[in-house]
Amino acid sequence: MDKFLIKGGTPLHGKIAISGAKNSALPCLAATLLSAKTVTLHNVPYVRDLITQRRLLEDLGATTLTPDVHTHKITAAHIESFEAPYELVKTMRASVLALGPLLGRFGKAKVSLPGGCAIGTRPIDLHLRAFEKLGAVVSLESGDVVAKAPKGRLVGSELDFEKVTVTGTENVMMAAVLAEGTTVIHNAACEPEIPDLADLLNKMGAKVSGAGTPKITIEGVEALGEAEHWIIPDRIETGTFIVAAAITNGELEITSCRPDHLGAVIDMLREVGVEIDQPDPTTLHVRNSNAGLRSKDITTEPYPLFPTDMQAQYMALMTQAEGTSVVTETIFENRFMHASELIRMGADIEIHGNQATVKGKVRLKGAPVLASDLRASASLVLAGLCAEGETLIDRVYHIDRGYETIVRKISSIGGNIERLKDHMSTAAPETSG
Ligand code: EPZ
């Protein structure tokens, strides 16, 4: 497995362009299954999860062309299979996003029940119950979810998610766009990836309204057609680079981003002393205030509040702030794995249930550490860039899933990081277009 070797202590300076959002590209790629015509997606991030998602579409029978690594032309005219196998689903939970479109367009789908992952059990019970509300018959057969629309077509209905679920909302939206009649989703997720998916679906001919609010209304149509769509920038990559500037006491210009998609993160980072200016709608200018960083408590919540995907990066930053902060994780049951690795680097963090108490102003020292999940890996990279000495991060395939050419990007702004390649690895190369 590849490793990252990071020599810390150099402030990052320069300009960094944000890639397309992994968590928007994944449902948007799945949505191409809803049409027999060509759907062109631009600004798709060149990361492992999207390579996997594209392979899934090909396994199902779709034709995929990539004129460049960020552009995918998908034509799902001849779908021959309606199954997402375990071998694939176990490598990427987001394959469950094939359920909604396959069920919505073909009235049948069989997807391996995704296992849990490092951050939690990650059930999909809410997805399945929502499909049943739309008239599907859902059963579990030897580890596979088997879903069928008895009359061949789902029937619109009113449903209310008992918990906010991002991919659950996306799955139901994709199942409902071709259903007979109208579907109303209450307590829908409001993350920016939801309106982005709705934009694509409406370009394809769907009738989705209210996306981005807790109530989404979908009028079923007979068929969807072709479309062209640009994936929104990745708000979590943006937040990660804001923290990178702050934790290394550097100064960055972050371009091609959408600051309006990470308001809670920007507000909180300004409160702890990061100077963040927005010279134009897609650019941020970031540096530490001379007064240094102050500790502030955070609690992760669904959008528009502080996102769980920024919790690990924020925790790394709080090791450098004046005072003590309490980080409360309310979304996933096991999302503090980065804490034990940060402690190996000298951080002073105590975990009690879903709360981590972080003592600030600690000198981090480089050490060999282990990545456990995508965002935990990001926090170890940030800590390594700040620490004195060398940090060796193992299992960096986790980070390759969701950060495009991160070594190239960090090196381009002065970070001392190199990838120690394990020649068996299948990481997306660092040479995207
Ligand atoms: C999406 O995961 C993101 N992934 C996650 O990003 C993100 O952390 C998460 O939303 C929360 O924002 C993608 O979009 C591909 P949920 P998702 O369904 O949809 C429980 C990253 O780092 N739940 O909103 O799987 C669930 O256990 C990844 O990019 C049920 O109980 O998350 C969790 O506690 C990590 N039953 C909570 O709801 C269900 O059927 C929120 O999960 C579904 C979810």
Side-chain angles (χ1 to χ4, degrees):
M1 293 176 212
D2 287 9
K3 296 180 173 69
F4 286 165
L5 180 64
I6 299 171
K7 291 189 184 70
T10 312
L12 300 181
H13 282 277
K15 190 186 278 194
I16 199 89
I18 296 299
S19 301
K22 163 183 87 81
N23 289 350
S24 183
L26 286 167
C28 286
L29 242 72
T32 64
L33 290 167
L34 286 161
S35 165
K37 305 282 190 228
T38 299
V39 177
T40 303
L41 298 174
H42 298 280
N43 202 32
V44 177
Y46 187 54
V47 296
R48 235 151 56 95
D49 274 5
L50 270 300
I51 294 169
T52 306
Q53 191 79 323
R54 189 154 51 82
R55 280 202 195 117
L56 169 60
L57 298 182
E58 288 166 352
D59 289 354
L60 297 173
T63 308
T64 73
L65 295 173
T66 47
D68 66 67
V69 290
H70 298 120
T71 304
H72 289 28
K73 284 178 171 301
I74 317 280
T75 312
H78 306 292
I79 296 299
E80 290 119 16
S81 162
F82 308 94
E83 297 191 22
Y86 179 61
E87 301 69 51
L88 196 135
V89 175
K90 72 180 177 189
T91 66
M92 187 186 65
R93 302 185 66 266
S95 325
V96 293
L97 285 166
L99 268 171
L102 288 174
L103 196 49
R105 181 174 167 205
F106 303 102
K108 56 186 174 186
K110 183 176 179 182
V111 173
S112 167
L113 191 63
C117 71
I119 64 177
T121 51
R122 312 290 298 274
I124 61 166
D125 56 315
L126 301 176
H127 301 227
L128 305 183
R129 286 226 292 280
F131 292 142
E132 288 171 336
K133 285 287 280 182
L134 296 178
V137 173
V138 179
S139 57
L140 205 48
E141 294 168 20
S142 5
D144 289 332
V145 171
V146 181
K148 286 195 180 67
K151 304 191 193 86
R153 189 180 183 190
L154 297 175
V155 179
S157 172
E158 191 141 3
L159 56 102
D160 191 339
F161 278 118
E162 64 184 66
K163 258 178 111 170
V164 170
T165 163
V166 175
T167 49
T169 301
E170 291 161 349
N171 239 338
V172 174
M173 285 166 72
M174 293 190 282
V177 289
L178 293 175
E180 194 178 324
T182 300
T183 297
V184 179
I185 305 171
H186 295 285
N187 200 25
C190 300
E191 276 69 3
E193 293 77 37
I194 305 288
D196 201 33
L197 174 61
D199 285 353
L200 169 62
L201 292 170
N202 288 337
K203 286 174 185 170
M204 292 167 70
K207 290 185 179 149
V208 181
S209 57
T213 76
K215 181 181 171 188
I216 299 176
T217 303
I218 299 166
E219 271 180 68
V221 296
E222 293 305 312
L224 296 187
E226 65 181 15
E228 186 164 15
H229 181 69
W230 278 258
I231 301 291
I232 54 171
D234 195 310
R235 59 195 169 97
I236 305 301
E237 185 192 19
T238 306
T240 305
F241 276 105
I242 295 175
V243 173
I247 205 169
T248 61
N249 219 7
E251 183 162 354
L252 286 181
E253 187 179 340
I254 301 173
T255 63
S256 312
C257 64
R258 284 287 301 272
D260 56 317
H261 289 166
L262 68 162
V265 172
I266 291 173
D267 292 348
M268 182 50 72
L269 292 175
R270 280 177 172 148
E271 271 199 51
V272 304
V274 184
E275 294 200 2
I276 304 173
D277 299 318
Q278 185 180 335
D280 67 52
T282 62
T283 306
L284 288 171
H285 192 248
V286 184
R287 62 191 159 81
N288 255 354
S289 72
N290 300 330
L293 294 167
R294 300 175 294 278
S295 293
K296 281 266 176 202
D297 298 352
I298 60 147
T299 297
T300 64
E301 302 276 2
Y303 195 87
L305 300 177
F306 196 94
T308 175
D309 290 351
M310 276 298 300
Q311 178 257 105
Q313 301 91 313
Y314 182 82
M315 188 185 290
L317 185 65
M318 284 299 103
T319 67
Q320 302 307 300
E322 190 65 54
T324 298
S325 57
V326 176
V327 174
T328 304
E329 172 58 56
T330 70
I331 306 293
F332 291 111
E333 62 267 34
N334 187 34
R335 203 167 197 178
F336 284 147
M337 259 100 39
H338 44 286
S340 48
E341 300 305 303
L342 292 171
I343 289 166
R344 286 177 48 73
M345 298 175 71
D348 182 345
I349 302 170
E350 277 185 29
I351 307 287
H352 300 288
N354 73 336
Q355 292 198 317
T357 303
V358 185
K359 282 213 177 53
K361 281 305 212 201
V362 167
R363 282 197 65 67
L364 295 178
K365 292 207 173 31
V369 291
L370 211 48
S372 54
D373 63 87
L374 174 55
R375 308 304 173 182
S377 324
S379 83
L380 299 181
V381 170
L382 295 170
L385 290 167
C386 161
E388 191 186 303
E390 289 190 346
T391 298
L392 186 64
I393 305 179
D394 198 356
R395 300 188 183 170
V396 294
Y397 61 85
H398 288 293
I399 204 158
D400 289 326
R401 300 188 51 171
Y403 285 90
E404 179 173 314
T405 62
I406 188 162
V407 170
R408 194 163 68 91
K409 286 192 174 186
I410 291 176
S411 305
S412 74
I413 49 179
N416 189 328
I417 178 173
E418 68 174 302
R419 180 187 291 268
L420 306 181
K421 276 202 75 59
D422 162 355
H423 292 289
M424 305 293 285
S425 82
T426 56
E430 295 270 353
T431 52
S432 81

